Amino acid sequence: MKFFLPILLFILINLPLHAQVLVKGSVESLGESLPGANVYLKGTAFQTVSDQKGAFTLSSIPQGEYTLVVFFLGNKTFSRVLTIGPKDKVIELKIEMEEISGELNQVTVEGNNSDSYGIIRLNSVEGTAIYEAKKNEVIQLDNITANLATNNSRQIYAKVPGLNIYESDGAGLQLGIGARGLDPNRTSHFNVRQNGYDISADALGYPESYYTPATEGVARIEVVRGAASLQYGTQFGGLLNFVMKDGPEDKKAKVVLRNTVGSYGFLNTFSSVGGTLGKWNYYSFFQYKRGDGWRENSGFDSKMAYTSLSFKPNERFKVKLEYTVMDYLARQAGGLTDALFAQNPRQSIRSRNWFKVNWNLFASQLDFKINNQLKLNLRNFGLIGGRDALGNLGRIDRVDDGLERNLFVDDFRNFGSELRLIYNYRLGKQENAFLIGSRYYNGFTDRKQGLGSAGNNADFSFLNPQNLEDADYDFPGRNISVFAENVFNLSDKISLTPGIRVEYIRTAANGYYAGNTLVPDPDTGFARDSTFKVFEKLDRKRSFVFGGLGFSYKPKENHEFYANFSQNYRSINFNDIRVNNPNLVVDENIQDERGYNFDLGIRGSQNKKFNYDVSFFYLKYRDRIGAILRTDPESFRIFRYRTNVADAYSLGLEAFGEFDLLRVLEWDEKYKLNFFTNISLIDARYQSSEEQVLEGNRVELVPPFSIRSGATFGVGAFNMTYQFSFVEEHFTDASNAVRTPSAVEGIIPSYQVMDLSMRYCYKFIKLEASVNNLTDNLYFTRRAAGYPGPGIIPSDGRTFFLTLEFNF
């Protein structure tokens, strides 16, 4: 006890001294003071806000080691270790904040995101875009071990729950993914973009993706669900944005050479060069790939190139120019009946089907930081392209008659412009963000359909170009929209994000199609077909307003409860109406689709140990467009009839979780052992239908249950990833037919697939290997009504790939 009093007196005497340390300083960005920045010592009650001159003061700080954090909306969070010693009285700091790039495609990767095994999430505000409370995923392609040479979507999108993936293109030439009960065909229910601008055939009138960027040249893929409609347009699926690579900022030139060989004659060469020269940044790549295909009568030859050039004279201004070209020719094996698939899925009974695509994309982007609170982004883009399809579209249960083939020729001429302004402002003690933007889009499609040659070669010329036998149409379209969203931070933990979008849409059609009727033959008296042209000129205009609201609650760092409601709208397109396809008839009075998306979930991550996102969703579809089976009263032929079949809903659970076992157990971080699981449970049904037979039926192309899981083992420069996928049986049409003679309708049986990929880096050399469909399962994911069918399109069996990469 005799020592207790002196010790107590010593503490009491020195405590005031320790409590008098003053931390002060200023916060700046681009040489200007930054008022309203949040400054605090992490894990303590010491916090303040910078004043109008950017100055701040934290007083009475005891000695010790702290983490000083500075946050200002629209800038990267500043963090540094601050050590206060017994002799310190005043510590002065000058903090320079770094802005988040003004580009839509910029993702800031911080802290826990930097070792994420390929999946992270978008920040609340990214450049001139708002993602607060929205369901989203970002796939970082440099951080995954997968077969990138073939754009293997089963592996690339394995950590995005709720997706239904078409696996009918082993070369990766076209991407087919759908979400929450939406058709995966050419990803037409997503707004598909590259670096923030549209790349589909016609975003308004024909939103199908014939071009998919080479994933070897892609830095990341952003997936934002239905709530993206407020900023990106009216697709129910949401946004799919491919962010291309830029040249490295610390090198004048970096060269990457990748060569891949694989099963069935597969060859892929990818070469890129990029770097920074003064105020200029550049990046270019060229990809060539070819293959014989897994099935008979299949093969492909593809060329793709991309180049970008950026000029950044200062931190406030940046301009970027981009050009993309793709050209490929593919021979298509056609579809199979159920019996033919069971007999031999590699066989083909169509030897004369070909598909050709030529794509030219142009884009420019301008980013201007007007001041610390206001940023502007302007993007202009255009497409000159086309796709030609040649072959026999007759029923697959009929022998090829060897006569003239069907030829479809589409030419696309589109251009658009999008302007965005984001303003960071202070309301009370909280920082908020207001986004406003406008978009102009003009689409034009020239579609021709007639008879092609009767041969076997890829001859894409009409027999009668001046008098087409089926159809000749122009499809102009125009879209003008204005949108706005605002992040209201009610406190440090709670935010509300309302949004609104105003749309004007005009779609038109001008041309003719061939009709036919039965007339008596003057010689025999029997009825015969008589064809005639039906000329028409259609013009449809409509304007509407829709909105949404997001809610976010962050109980602690890196953990969030989120909810979002947003209305959706999808306009019909005339391109689908006038196609003479013997397997499909379209209702002339088909109407636009309306509905909404609702999300409620929880997500988070912690110290590179685990990452999770579990959410419930409800998608309501009014006047859903689908296909039902009908019978021709004259010929008794069964055909698909495309119309507004009914209202529908999709209700489900999407869950994703991953963890690094060795870090959770706090073992040696030299090794990593990561496990992930992605589960989707969906109940999607028709309701309120005039077709009583559909009431209560399951919505087509919606697997009730799917799971994708895997594990990654890594040590040093070696990584190995195993993935497993299971998709439950589901239907392909609204009538829920189990099997039909044409094989266009029927079930997709349950299937499971396994993949194994490895990667090893040594200095400037990288070696990759993949075995896809490890157990050689025979399955299919698609029944096609038109190209590349009709009928069952088998997925590839077991294939092997080996890649050698050099970096200089």
Side-chain angles (χ1 to χ4, degrees), residues 263-331:
S263 303
Y264 309 105
F266 181 86
L267 171 67
N268 176 78
T269 63
F270 177 90
S271 306
S272 70
V273 59
T276 300
L277 297 171
K279 298 176 181 179
W280 297 86
N281 181 276
Y282 67 96
Y283 178 76
S284 295
F285 74 74
F286 174 78
Q287 181 196 55
Y288 170 75
K289 60 182 174 182
R290 67 160 307 278
D292 300 326
W294 182 69
R295 298 177 60 201
E296 300 172 355
N297 298 320
S298 63
F300 57 90
D301 188 280
S302 172
K303 306 173 188 67
M304 183 185 300
Y306 166 83
T307 187
S308 67
L309 181 64
S310 301
F311 176 63
K312 190 175 182 181
N314 53 56
E315 292 299 319
R316 293 184 179 275
F317 182 83
K318 179 181 178 182
V319 63
K320 184 176 184 179
L321 302 176
E322 299 175 54
Y323 173 62
T324 307
V325 60
M326 181 191 70
D327 185 272
Y328 77 78
L329 175 67
R331 190 175 189 181

Side-chain angles (χ1 to χ4, degrees), residues 94 130 159 229 258 315 394 453 466 488 600 605 743 783:
K94 184 177 180 180
I130 289 176
K159 295 184 179 181
S229 62
R258 288 173 58 90
E315 292 299 319
S453 69
Q466 304 303 319
F488 290 104
L600 176 65
S605 60
R783 293 176 183 265

Side-chain angles (χ1 to χ4, degrees), residues 385-398:
R387 74 103 171 109
D388 300 347
L390 173 69
N392 181 354
L393 275 187
R395 290 169 55 122
I396 204 64
D397 56 344
R398 304 288 188 268

Side-chain angles (χ1 to χ4, degrees), residues 122-148:
L122 291 163
N123 290 321
S124 298
V125 178
E126 296 274 355
T128 53
I130 289 176
Y131 300 107
E132 178 81 341
K134 292 179 173 63
K135 175 85 170 182
N136 69 81
E137 293 90 6
V138 180
I139 304 167
Q140 297 179 294
L141 291 167
D142 284 343
N143 288 354
I144 66 174
T145 304
N147 184 356
L148 301 183

Side-chain angles (χ1 to χ4, degrees), residues 41-87:
L41 299 181
K42 187 175 180 180
T44 75
F46 295 100
Q47 57 181 326
T48 187
V49 177
S50 60
D51 62 20
Q52 292 299 316
K53 296 182 180 180
F56 69 90
T57 300
L58 293 170
S59 58
S60 303
I61 310 298
Q63 71 179 52
E65 187 173 280
Y66 304 91
T67 299
L68 177 72
V69 179
V70 183
F71 171 78
F72 187 83
L73 202 62
N75 290 263
K76 296 182 180 180
T77 301
F78 175 89
S79 177
R80 61 163 287 183
V81 175
L82 182 66
T83 302
I84 298 177
K87 296 182 179 180

Side-chain angles (χ1 to χ4, degrees), residues 132 204 209 265 298 334 369 398 451 472 506 517 593 597 703 761:
E132 178 81 341
L204 182 64
S209 300
S298 63
K369 184 174 182 180
R398 304 288 188 268
L451 293 179
D472 188 351
R506 179 196 175 198
T517 187
E593 301 169 309
N597 271 276
C761 301

Side-chain angles (χ1 to χ4, degrees), residues 433-575:
F434 173 68
L435 167 71
I436 188 169
S438 63
R439 169 183 168 91
Y440 174 83
Y441 183 85
N442 190 92
F444 182 85
T445 298
D446 178 19
R447 166 164 288 186
K448 293 179 169 61
Q449 181 182 354
L451 293 179
S453 69
N456 291 321
N457 61 339
D459 179 6
F460 295 93
S461 57
F462 289 106
L463 294 180
N464 301 295
Q466 304 303 319
N467 188 24
L468 297 178
E469 294 82 2
D470 293 307
D472 188 351
Y473 270 90
D474 290 337
F475 296 103
R478 182 174 298 171
N479 174 219
I480 301 173
S481 59
V482 178
F483 53 91
E485 281 196 80
N486 196 106
V487 179
F488 290 104
N489 285 305
L490 306 182
S491 70
D492 293 336
K493 297 181 178 181
I494 300 175
S495 73
L496 288 177
T497 307
I500 190 172
R501 188 177 184 94
V502 181
E503 290 274 4
Y504 166 79
I505 294 177
R506 179 196 175 198
T507 49
N510 185 13
Y512 72 84
Y513 68 96
N516 64 79
T517 187
L518 293 175
V519 300
D521 188 300
D523 296 326
T524 65
F526 293 107
R528 68 173 184 179
D529 281 338
S530 175
T531 60
F532 54 92
K533 292 181 179 178
V534 179
F535 291 88
E536 63 181 357
K537 191 172 184 179
L538 307 173
D539 196 340
R540 184 171 181 179
K541 303 174 184 177
R542 56 267 199 209
S543 301
F544 53 91
V545 180
F546 62 96
L549 178 66
F551 169 80
S552 173
Y553 171 63
K554 303 178 179 70
K556 57 181 180 178
E557 188 177 7
N558 295 325
H559 296 272
E560 177 187 14
F561 293 95
Y562 63 94
N564 197 290
F565 170 85
S566 62
Q567 293 176 294
N568 296 86
Y569 183 97
R570 189 173 193 265
S571 63
I572 57 117
N573 56 82
F574 290 113
N575 301 39

Side-chain angles (χ1 to χ4, degrees), residues 203-230:
L204 182 64
Y206 192 51
E208 299 196 3
S209 300
Y210 290 101
Y211 156 69
T212 300
T215 49
E216 293 170 303
V218 176
R220 57 191 173 271
I221 303 171
E222 300 168 355
V223 184
V224 186
R225 302 306 176 89
S229 62
L230 298 175

